[in-house]
Amino acid sequence: MSPLGPSRPPAPGDGARLPALRRRAAGVATPSTPPAPVRRRDRRGRGPRGPVLPMSTPAYRTRAERFDDLVLDAVEDLERRWARQLDGAEFAVEDVPPSNPAPWEHGGVPLGRYFPADSGLPHRVVVYRRPVEARASDAADLADLVRDVVVEQVAHLLGRSPDEVDPGYDDGH
């Protein structure tokens, strides 16, 4: 047994303290300095992880985020013209429609739905992302289809025809 107490083998993390312990055990006086803290990074010592893609790359935003932007653009265009009538209406995007269709929907998968105001809830327009994306052939077609779906649902909300809601609705139909 040494004068410092029972001897023990050094632990793997004791590399910085090992020479000082040997000098003390040999009877050499050393100044009492606390051991230097071990700087740790991450598990493999490579440093903290950054983003997978930088913000400057086009793939930084997901498909769902780009789709949300298309819906917001279409809604903003309509709100410029119908701001007073659309005040308080909510617009949302869901991935897929629920499995129980509404009574007025006959066959096919809906691309969007209008829910009238009911028991304190505002008017709601929902656009279903996956069915709309499945019907679009490219990015320009997707933007046009999203605009058309939003215009049709807003036309239901306002009780008007889609041509009245957006004069450009008839283009390309």
Side-chain angles (χ1 to χ4, degrees), residues 54-87:
M55 291 174 54
S56 61
T57 60
Y60 179 74
R61 297 185 48 79
T62 64
R63 260 189 335 203
E65 290 171 336
R66 289 190 300 264
F67 189 87
D68 292 346
D69 289 343
L70 291 174
V71 172
L72 284 174
D73 291 343
V75 170
E76 286 174 358
D77 290 343
L78 292 175
E79 280 184 338
R80 283 190 208 114
R81 186 168 184 198
W82 303 97
R84 192 172 46 89
Q85 291 88 343
L86 294 177
D87 188 37

Side-chain angles (χ1 to χ4, degrees), residues 67-134:
F67 189 87
D68 292 346
D69 289 343
L70 291 174
V71 172
L72 284 174
D73 291 343
V75 170
E76 286 174 358
D77 290 343
L78 292 175
E79 280 184 338
R80 283 190 208 114
R81 186 168 184 198
W82 303 97
R84 192 172 46 89
Q85 291 88 343
L86 294 177
D87 188 37
E90 293 181 352
F91 295 86
V93 173
E94 290 185 6
D95 283 340
V96 294
S99 58
N100 56 342
W104 61 87
E105 295 171 337
H106 302 288
V109 177
L111 302 179
R113 275 196 186 146
Y114 160 64
F115 297 97
D118 184 31
S119 65
L121 294 175
H123 296 283
R124 288 172 285 157
V125 172
V126 178
V127 180
Y128 299 113
R129 181 177 64 87
R130 300 287 299 262
V132 172
E133 286 178 339

Side-chain angles (χ1 to χ4, degrees), residues 1-32:
M1 201 175 208
S2 74
L4 297 174
S7 63
R8 63 172 177 83
D14 288 342
R17 297 186 310 167
L18 188 60
L21 288 176
R22 285 193 183 145
R23 279 184 267 166
R24 272 193 221 148
V28 178
T30 60
S32 61

Side-chain angles (χ1 to χ4, degrees), residues 82 151-152 154-156 158-167 169:
W82 303 97
V151 166
E152 290 169 2
V154 168
H156 286 298
L158 299 176
R160 299 177 180 259
S161 72
D163 297 332
E164 291 178 68
V165 173
D166 183 15
Y169 176 76

